[in-house]
Amino acid sequence: MQSSNQYRIERDSLGEIKVPKTAYYGAQTQRAIDNFQISGKRLPKSFIKAQGIIKASAAVTNMELEMLSKTTGEAIIKAAEEVIQGKWDDQFVVDIYQAGAGTSQNMNINEVIAHRASEILDGTLESHRVHPNDHVNLTQSTNDTFHAAIHIAALELMNQQLLPSIKDLHKALEKISIELMPIRKSGRTHLHDAVPMRLGQEFSAYAETIKTMYEHIQATADPLYEIGLGGNAIGTRMNLPPAYIPKIIKEVSNRTNLPFREPPNMFQFMQNTNAPIRTMLALKELSIHLIKITSDLRLLASGPRTGLAEISLPSVQPGSTIMPGKVNPAILEMTHMVCCQVIGYEAAIATAGIAGQLEINVMMPFIAHAFLESIELLSNTISTLVTKCISGIQGNEEICNKYMHESLALVTALSPIMGYDRAAEIGKQADEKNITIKQILQEKNLLTREIEKALNPEGMV
Amino acid sequence: MQSSNQYRIERDSLGEIKVPKTAYYGAQTQRAIDNFQISGKRLPKSFIKAQGIIKASAAVTNMELEMLSKTTGEAIIKAAEEVIQGKWDDQFVVDIYQAGAGTSQNMNINEVIAHRASEILDGTLESHRVHPNDHVNLTQSTNDTFHAAIHIAALELMNQQLLPSIKDLHKALEKISIELMPIRKSGRTHLHDAVPMRLGQEFSAYAETIKTMYEHIQATADPLYEIGLGGNAIGTRMNLPPAYIPKIIKEVSNRTNLPFREPPNMFQFMQNTNAPIRTMLALKELSIHLIKITSDLRLLASGPRTGLAEISLPSVQPGSTIMPGKVNPAILEMTHMVCCQVIGYEAAIATAGIAGQLEINVMMPFIAHAFLESIELLSNTISTLVTKCISGIQGNEEICNKYMHESLALVTALSPIMGYDRAAEIGKQADEKNITIKQILQEKNLLTREIEKALNPEGMV
Amino acid sequence: MQSSNQYRIERDSLGEIKVPKTAYYGAQTQRAIDNFQISGKRLPKSFIKAQGIIKASAAVTNMELEMLSKTTGEAIIKAAEEVIQGKWDDQFVVDIYQAGAGTSQNMNINEVIAHRASEILDGTLESHRVHPNDHVNLTQSTNDTFHAAIHIAALELMNQQLLPSIKDLHKALEKISIELMPIRKSGRTHLHDAVPMRLGQEFSAYAETIKTMYEHIQATADPLYEIGLGGNAIGTRMNLPPAYIPKIIKEVSNRTNLPFREPPNMFQFMQNTNAPIRTMLALKELSIHLIKITSDLRLLASGPRTGLAEISLPSVQPGSTIMPGKVNPAILEMTHMVCCQVIGYEAAIATAGIAGQLEINVMMPFIAHAFLESIELLSNTISTLVTKCISGIQGNEEICNKYMHESLALVTALSPIMGYDRAAEIGKQADEKNITIKQILQEKNLLTREIEKALNPEGMV
Amino acid sequence: MQSSNQYRIERDSLGEIKVPKTAYYGAQTQRAIDNFQISGKRLPKSFIKAQGIIKASAAVTNMELEMLSKTTGEAIIKAAEEVIQGKWDDQFVVDIYQAGAGTSQNMNINEVIAHRASEILDGTLESHRVHPNDHVNLTQSTNDTFHAAIHIAALELMNQQLLPSIKDLHKALEKISIELMPIRKSGRTHLHDAVPMRLGQEFSAYAETIKTMYEHIQATADPLYEIGLGGNAIGTRMNLPPAYIPKIIKEVSNRTNLPFREPPNMFQFMQNTNAPIRTMLALKELSIHLIKITSDLRLLASGPRTGLAEISLPSVQPGSTIMPGKVNPAILEMTHMVCCQVIGYEAAIATAGIAGQLEINVMMPFIAHAFLESIELLSNTISTLVTKCISGIQGNEEICNKYMHESLALVTALSPIMGYDRAAEIGKQADEKNITIKQILQEKNLLTREIEKALNPEGMV
């Protein structure tokens, strides 16, 4: 049984409830703890930080507009800045799967800041001088602040982690593409012999794909800069002086060094979580391409004896617990798994996205989780992919050249000379006799100088 | 301008409307034509047939229960049987994307049968003696009949097409597995050298997967035998005598030779389209496996010179318009595309499945389309896959054996003798020197008789 | 048995095959007909037209570069232009689900044009003067032309149909938003009473969402203007003079009046179908929003007696076959179904998108089908949605006002005056007593003039 | 810089590496820590426990078959049992996103057990007497043990948590269905007035849906009882005596009290992760139904003043930070979010499922994570849903009855008397005049006794 030394009594509109004596959170957070024993997981630090930035910015704005006393406002700002610095991370205790729209999450920070601000002012967190709703949440609702916090957190992660990692991947692929450009090989379409190409050309395509993704993600993320702070519950800006919105957005921009702006239509911002949905679709596209590229690399690196073996990957760890000496493409496989997860998160967010009803989409806490985790997973994965795999790729010129010379698709070069139909016949015979195109031409006494020149794969690429 | 020779005037509760003079459909169908110019596609014949079976069965039942006169009833039955035989296929003109729940689709058949039955009785389809709602739709609603028609059509397609094709695929894989069992090869995990196995063992796994799918789909489809005819609008069986439901279900069972039964809870049947959703998930699983298996086959058949080339597929058509002589795994690629489509249809049906609200899921017309088309596509694809590809697969023993003997994973056999760590060292050295395990052991004077015996891949599988 | 009057013998690299005597297609198309009896569906006219444009443009370019004789070239151009005009639509007979990469589809047009051009020159389609590969397909491969045809067809559909329909939807929503702006109502969050707003504000949010989608789709579709004609099989531009690519792209641009351009990296273009994948993701986003908006409208229009009934929709057809007088939101429901399909197509295309391997993604025929059909479905649906539903929406002011005055969320206005906790208590008591906020305040003698003014919902929005 | 007091040197086939001095894991785990800084998340306890069970069972079996000495075997068993009890949870440190197939995860437990067993025998974990591969992993591979561990962990979670929670939900819905059976209301189809029904009937449908899911999940999970222990790397059971497989499966069955069995085809087991894929599809189906049911409940509970308000949910916490007194359907919303996640995990697992290649699907670590977390999330959510929401639902009879009497769909009862067309006309007039069906009949002097009786909704259900 809990003794009264261990807890204190807090109140909300549903009545009294026991809260751990030393907790900075209060009644509503405690109810959320009791109600939501689901995953044991919390929203990430990036999100808590963004909430803290909003609470500090609202207090600054409310003080400027004389809606909040200097004393209370400054205490709130100090407490919020402590939250931003991560000092109260252990006080954020609400499960990811919680009340729709994140009411519990918003109350968690409102309560932590209220108690901490009270403590700053009175030396005890139990003084209740600062009220979580009337002071900390003043001029705000869950609906505008939670949604805005997703945008702020996402942009910080994207600008500081994801976009730089994608740029690094592009550079690494471009560099390796140049290194591998001297190596000639056979192309493959339908996994079948195709005409010659250069190994570096294959990688230049990967580099280009990643480059376009960098640009696309950056462009797609632009609506994240719209934060509807001041829309409060449904977009009507209830009880708010006109100066409020530009002031708070400017304050958030200053604190994040990011150019946030007011949404063109506040009701639209409140109704939906469109910017996360859209950006998530771009992350799905990135994942599709990463799966394609890493699957190609696994194919090209397959072997060492029973696969294509055109490239070698750096060894990062032993590959089998039963087959000694085996080294697997572990980093590429890990990347593929992360991409499966991101594709799954997009499916989840889309399912959540269609669940919006009228003035709000209450699925926001889950969307926050899935979206922010996707950004973090991709950032870490891509950085690892660059440093532990891509940068160390080497081409196996001997094997590549062998494939090129043996490829039946060299016959393509004969089409302009003898026509498609006769060229096809030549190819078929080489296949049946299991010899090269050059050899079958020699056998048939068809290897003129013109044809020999045309057939030379070194001349083709 | 339409002359009065070309159309007649029909009426419904929204007023008068012009209908082509020779059309057997009426006012509501005409409105649906005007409202839904979306895809130009119709629900499939299997569905129209199932609707016809229901209309005939309802008329039989209503006559037995003396709710419908013999004259009218018999005319309706005759007209419905003509629909079942496909005589009026060109009269079913409502777009797949139509009124929620399929009201337009149900009125289409009600109107066609009413006009045709009137014609049977009066010699003119304009007599209006038989009423689409009061007679043809008597005791029914869109909600129970449309939903039941999906079940009936799906089971006919599954029993006559899909399940037999899956059985054929299982048999073909099993047969090829036995044929290929003598061929030894190197296994591959992570696309890297693994221990030896038999080519037939790989195929036996494919056969087993397909076998379990046959059983799973058959079991999963069982709820399709529940048809809630008699539930009418929402499950309350309004105005229906108790004998109605067993009678109509028996009549449908007789006409289809399938053992349909009453759902355990009529409200549950009306609220949802659970059986199609569930069966569709099983078709998704089948598609996942087909993609895996056909992707494997494309890998194993890759080449002829630049790939693994362990198996050969039958040539069904030239493979390139520019590279003469190329032959691609076209049937396998086609199968993969169909599976993408089925996976997409499942995603679509799931999205439609969560859109049910209270007493009905109005997404039924789309669900009917996507579900029935998935069954048909898979049936045709699998049959083609069996006859044009699987049955003609041949193993390339020479190549398989070469991989087996060169595989570095043979070193696994040394683990029990010299321990994992030393075996790994041996494997590493063979890799670096680009020689076989046996060769490196010879070089190091370690090839004892025991080791030579252990290393012999023919002894391993 | 087929008599020799009915067929002729054609040849390809696999041997002889019978083709219907009057068919303009040839051996490879016939093989594809035999191989792919899957869906009975063909790629759409927009795609065939785009193929025709490419064939004509290639012939023009090849003539200019003196790779093709004037006689042959002009016959090809004439035949291709007939294809563009739709004259030979019935000769395009290959199933959607066909050889990977669309080899069969490319041969279908190569053969039709070759036979027709031969006929133009020789008066008989059997002269074989024009060769499908050596002349019609000269300088091309399936891989570059099929992929480019998707881009061309998609942009024509988007510019002529989809984008205009989205613009119309935006305008219609904006217009209705202005019309409904005078009507005050209660907002709803979590489907629960929220603070007052205007009906027009809700619609302004829908309008804004659609406006951003217009801009986003337009921006996202930009990479579709990159067409890799001249990359031929894998991007190496084999046997092509440098002038070829700019010339053919200019010719295609002239014939379509669209500003196509060369891709920045030809290997990347050949490896993937990234632009369709990306655009499809934008269409998924559009579908998510359409589901949200139309679901809201169905909620707001629910009733007439048992729902919210805040708006009325135009009646387009009777809504029930058993419940007389019922009128359902049929157009909105149809829209929802189409969006399910588009979401499904995106899932399918993503699954196809990750199946690319090395120099090509062979899933192109399916991607073409799913992508182009999505554009067409959305275009037709949105146009119908505008004309048959959105434009006729009317607000029910009386009902809206009633909800506004009864909403318990009016208590929000009391927070700044009496604090959140006391306001919550007032709200709770009004709920329990089932009276309005104003009434409970009167009962408790708390209705000061200040509070009465604050509580007046007309003053809030 | 790390001092030598803090770490020790361990070795694997890639060379030496520093490991924290007190760590029970070794070189390969350390490499995995260094390689995979991705999510910071670990596989769940249920999985570690299952791995422990397998390691203990293998040691027992290897001792019985005299492949492992009694001393070493007993030390391994003791160490493995400590793992099972959770004593070494903090030693399992490999990220979820790790080496394909889970090689790192398998080495983590091999190393922890090897070091702990060495410590048991020698008093120091640095003695290396017990070898992670040669002793702990003896007769096993990652491929068979990791896959089997997923099955074991999943079945324990399903039998102990998920299935009981689903059964509780079924019972709670059935109970509430009986309680609410006396309340009559209007049905709604298309969110529009439909014929009368009982509130309890609606809930009986929910109960039935959940009941069928219980049975379906139980049946679908059956293949999880197949565990391919002894298949080792690819299914060839290399170096294994025939008695091995039955013995180890019996040992695992004893330790779990679950009837595990050998798969019918070992190669099929190794190639795929079919049982998790299949079961996950059933969890998706469950999620679809939970979204449908909880969305219905949110609709029925909407209000209190601006919604349908037919039922009341228990208040579990305040619903708004800005609108005092608001109480939201928080538990239902949380459930919806969890279902979005599970749907997303299924999409992710399907994407991983198609990535299998030849003898293995290397996506297993991710599949383990997503599958096991889905089971846990659903278990916790459903339990919470039952206790915090479903059990406390109350019906609002007055409101329900009002809707029933006002519903225009009552006119359906007139169809059999006056025909569909006239009934529709009556309904239309009542709608236009905004009066009830009864009132319009009175006005028109049509309210005969027969009609009055037919119209009485109490008589309809």
Side-chain angles (χ1 to χ4, degrees), chain A residues 186-195 295 298-299 301-308 310 313 318-329 333 351 354 357 398 403-404 406-409 411-413 415 419-421 423-425 427-428 430-437, chain B residues 186-195 295 298-299 301-308 310 313 318-329 333 351 354 357 398 403-404 406-409 411-413 415 419-421 423-425 427-428 430-437:
Chain A
S186 177
R188 290 180 190 88
T189 56
H190 309 255
L191 292 183
H192 273 57
D193 304 359
V195 293
S295 295
R298 287 159 66 199
L299 255 183
S302 61
R305 299 293 165 79
T306 66
L308 305 183
E310 294 195 350
L313 309 173
S320 169
T321 61
I322 187 170
M323 293 178 278
K326 185 161 185 168
V327 179
N328 294 325
E333 295 169 340
T351 307
I354 60 176
Q357 288 178 307
E398 197 181 342
Y403 285 133
M404 176 175 67
E406 291 179 356
S407 165
L408 293 180
V411 82
T412 308
S415 256
Y420 181 94
D421 294 332
E425 188 54 32
K428 211 170 158 184
D431 187 22
E432 282 160 6
K433 296 203 168 185
N434 201 18
I435 55 180
T436 65
I437 299 299
Chain B
S186 177
R188 291 179 189 87
T189 56
H190 309 254
L191 293 183
H192 273 58
D193 304 358
V195 293
S295 295
R298 286 161 66 201
L299 256 183
S302 61
R305 298 293 166 78
T306 65
L308 305 184
E310 295 195 350
L313 308 173
S320 169
T321 62
I322 189 170
M323 293 179 278
K326 185 160 185 169
V327 179
N328 294 324
E333 295 169 341
T351 306
I354 60 175
Q357 288 178 307
E398 198 182 340
Y403 285 133
M404 176 175 68
E406 291 180 355
S407 166
L408 292 181
V411 81
T412 307
S415 254
Y420 181 95
D421 295 332
E425 189 54 31
K428 210 171 160 185
D431 187 23
E432 281 160 6
K433 296 203 166 184
N434 200 18
I435 55 179
T436 65
I437 299 298

Side-chain angles (χ1 to χ4, degrees), chain A residues 44 46 152-164 372-373 375-376 379:
Chain A
S46 59
I152 295 166
L155 280 171
E156 293 219 308
L157 291 172
M158 289 183 75
N159 286 314
Q160 286 162 26
Q161 296 180 30
L162 183 60
L163 287 169
L372 298 176
E373 181 152 312
I375 301 172
E376 288 196 89
S379 305

Side-chain angles (χ1 to χ4, degrees), chain A residues 257-272:
Chain A
N257 214 15
L258 291 171
F260 289 102
R261 60 182 188 267
E262 187 178 351
N265 181 302
M266 196 59 99
F267 300 94
Q268 194 255 1
F269 179 85
M270 302 304 297
Q271 265 189 4
N272 307 290

Side-chain angles (χ1 to χ4, degrees), chain B residues 262-327:
Chain B
E262 187 178 351
N265 181 302
M266 196 59 99
F267 300 95
Q268 195 256 359
F269 179 84
M270 303 304 296
Q271 265 189 4
N272 308 290
T273 50
N274 289 356
I277 291 171
R278 179 176 296 176
T279 310
M280 197 66 211
L281 289 162
L283 300 186
K284 177 176 181 177
E285 190 194 337
L286 174 61
S287 300
I288 290 170
H289 298 324
L290 285 174
I291 289 180
K292 196 277 178 188
I293 292 170
T294 57
S295 295
D296 273 11
L297 296 180
R298 286 161 66 201
L299 256 183
L300 294 175
S302 61
R305 298 293 166 78
T306 65
L308 305 184
E310 295 195 350
I311 62 171
S312 301
L313 308 173
S315 296
V316 294
Q317 57 182 58
S320 169
T321 62
I322 189 170
M323 293 179 278
K326 185 160 185 169
V327 179

